[in-house]
């Protein structure tokens, strides 16, 4: 995505939707109008997934976490357009999740088409590496679910091994989501793109 020099100014002018400066760190509940269960998506991208879910589930508060300020503009625009009061966005690196959230605060984590980081020396950057799983375990309530979707077979296999080694339980697995696609599946931007190229979409739900 092209760099937009005005990105931070734009995001800061929408501080009721996007937290750019960790204002709601350790008090995320106060960012929302209603006190409801919190679901987070790490690596939100342009936001089709989280805004669609939020429209379908007004009784859930959704937090979109995105590191890229230029990408964050797009999801902010969607939240504004749709007037969603149950989506709030954090311009945040997932490495710092536990500086931001309290323990046992979140009911579900979504990871969609996370960057695969194919080089072995970059494995620690994969959002299903044990150091991220450790953060999700801390911020999630007991028995909560991590839901992960990708077209990348290498990342999927790595994630299965990583989650298994971490002691997670696999609750559901689908090795070809678009073959007999469940009606509740929400296609993300990357999902649509890779599906059109004929890639299979893998999906897993796992708990700690
Ligand atoms: N989830 C979207 C989808 O399925 O269309 C976007 C997928 S895109 C491949 C991965 C996204 O994760 C990018 O927008 C990237 O900026 C974001 N991301 C990567 N590493 C991150 C990190 N450490 N913390 C937060 N976001 C991150």
């Amino acid at each position: 995505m092209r760099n937009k020099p005005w990105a931070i100014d734009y995001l800061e002018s929408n501080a009721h939707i996007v937290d750019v400066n960790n204002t709601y760190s350790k008090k995320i509940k106060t960012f929302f109008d209603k006190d409801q269960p919190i679901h987070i998506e790490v690596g939100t991208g342009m936001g089709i997934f989280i805004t669609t879910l939020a429209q379908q589930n007004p009784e859930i508060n959704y937090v979109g976490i995105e590191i890229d300020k230029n990408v964050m503009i797009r999801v902010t625009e969607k939240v504004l357009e749709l007037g969603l009061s149950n989506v709030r966005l954090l311009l945040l690196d997932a490495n710092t999740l536990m500086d931001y959230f309290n323990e046992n605060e979140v009911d579900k984590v979504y990871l969609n088409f996370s960057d695969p980081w194919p080089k072995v020396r970059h494995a620690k950057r994969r959002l299903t590496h044990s150091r991220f799983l450790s953060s999700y375990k801390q911020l999630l309530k007991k028995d909560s679910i991590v839901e992960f979707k990708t077209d990348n077979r290498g990342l999927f296999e790595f994630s299965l091994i990583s989650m298994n080694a971490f002691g997670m339980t696999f609750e559901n697995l689908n090795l070809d989501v678009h073959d007999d696609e469940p009606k509740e599946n929400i296609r993300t931007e990357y999902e649509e793109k890779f599906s059109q190229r004929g890639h299979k979409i893998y999906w897993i739900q796992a708990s700690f």
Side-chain angles (χ1 to χ4, degrees), residues 41-49 65-69 71-72 90-97 110-117 125 127 131-132 149 187-194:
E41 186 188 15
V42 185
T44 302
M46 289 190 273
I48 276 275
F49 180 85
I65 297 163
E66 175 53 55
I67 197 173
D68 185 322
K69 62 184 191 307
V71 174
M72 190 59 112
L90 312 180
L91 187 67
L92 192 75
D93 183 339
N95 284 297
T96 63
L97 277 177
Y110 290 99
L111 305 170
N112 290 311
F113 298 81
S114 309
D115 292 331
W117 294 108
R125 300 182 189 179
L127 292 183
R131 58 197 195 103
F132 289 106
K149 200 158 50 159
R187 292 191 181 200
T188 75
E189 287 87 357
Y190 272 71
E191 182 169 355
E192 198 59 63
K193 186 165 87 179
F194 290 124

Side-chain angles (χ1 to χ4, degrees), residues 15 17-32 38 40 63-65 72 88-103 105-106 135 138-139:
I17 293 175
V18 196
D19 188 358
V20 178
N21 299 310
N22 293 354
T23 306
Y24 294 95
S25 177
K26 302 291 182 185
K27 47 182 182 191
I28 189 74
K29 282 184 178 182
T30 64
F31 204 177
F32 290 93
I38 295 176
I40 70 174
V63 179
I65 297 163
M72 190 59 112
R88 293 295 176 254
L89 306 168
L90 312 180
L91 187 67
L92 192 75
D93 183 339
N95 284 297
T96 63
L97 277 177
M98 288 320 297
D99 297 335
Y100 196 95
F101 285 93
N102 296 305
E103 290 186 17
E105 189 164 47
V106 172
S135 297
Q138 288 175 66
L139 58 81

